[in-house]
Amino acid sequence: GDPYIKFDAGGQDMIVGTRYAGTTNNLLVLGPGLDPDTTSGIFVKGNGNIGVAEDNPGYKLDVAGVIRSHLSDPALHLTTTATSSSNAFIRFGDAGSFQRASLQYDFSGDNHLIIKMGGAGNNVERMRIRGTDGAIKIGGHSANRDMGGLSYQKVHIEGTDGGSSAIGIFNNQNS
């Protein structure tokens, strides 16, 4: 078998070892069990990819399961190393496609927040919120093109004392 160190944890043994998977795919294994070849836990590939319950991590962090942040103010931070003309994405996918829908922040120009949907990697822009003024475009299909001559519109929702709300659509001149 592959080499490992066993820690007797008083009921659940833990190991740190290696799993030989070929000349370039060896893994550092950390987890419960007695044999690195059958242990499920945390895996580190030689290229630096880390898998949690994923023994062949294809990304810098590859998790097979639910990720939970349990703090009073949990956060997910996506920070680009570029200074402009870059994007940050949150993608939603399934076994058929890594990208059924996406939430994209465009750091260039007007700092748009873009929602795309469509499926099978063929996402279509469905809504865009312009960061410079909050203007909203719904139903667009091109990043920099107006929808059939229509411009961005602002959506104004205002509550009243009676608890009801009104929705008004205004152009840039509030008319």
Side-chain angles (χ1 to χ4, degrees):
D2 294 319
Y4 65 93
I5 300 170
K6 180 180 104 173
F7 298 91
D8 185 350
Q12 177 66 64
D13 292 332
M14 302 293 285
I15 66 165
V16 176
T18 60
R19 181 182 295 176
Y20 180 74
T23 58
T24 60
N25 293 320
N26 294 331
L27 296 169
L28 174 66
V29 179
L30 300 96
L34 298 173
D35 183 348
D37 289 333
T38 59
T39 293
S40 180
I42 298 173
F43 303 90
V44 182
K45 282 181 92 170
N47 63 5
N49 289 359
I50 298 173
V52 178
E54 172 58 59
D55 66 358
N56 188 20
Y59 301 92
K60 290 301 172 193
L61 180 60
D62 202 341
V63 179
V66 176
I67 299 172
R68 177 181 181 202
S69 175
H70 188 68
L71 299 169
S72 60
D73 294 316
L76 171 65
H77 293 268
L78 303 174
T79 305
T80 181
T81 57
T83 55
S84 64
S85 301
S86 193
N87 297 285
F89 293 92
I90 297 175
R91 291 191 170 113
F92 304 90
D94 59 26
S97 173
F98 75 96
Q99 186 170 309
R100 295 288 183 185
S102 66
L103 182 62
Q104 173 185 347
Y105 183 79
D106 181 358
F107 291 95
S108 63
D110 291 328
N111 299 317
H112 301 291
L113 182 63
I114 302 164
I115 297 172
K116 294 181 178 182
M117 299 171 72
N122 187 20
N123 279 347
V124 176
E125 183 175 315
R126 301 296 185 193
M127 185 168 80
R128 176 180 291 242
I129 302 170
R130 192 165 50 203
T132 54
D133 60 6
I136 298 172
K137 181 168 93 171
I138 299 174
H141 64 280
S142 176
N144 297 310
R145 194 170 96 190
D146 288 331
M147 301 176 300
L150 300 175
S151 62
Y152 281 92
Q153 300 295 310
K154 287 195 176 192
V155 175
H156 178 82
I157 301 173
E158 182 177 303
T160 63
D161 290 341
S164 62
S165 296
I167 299 176
I169 299 178
F170 302 92
N171 64 20
N172 291 337
Q173 288 76 37
N174 289 330
S175 58

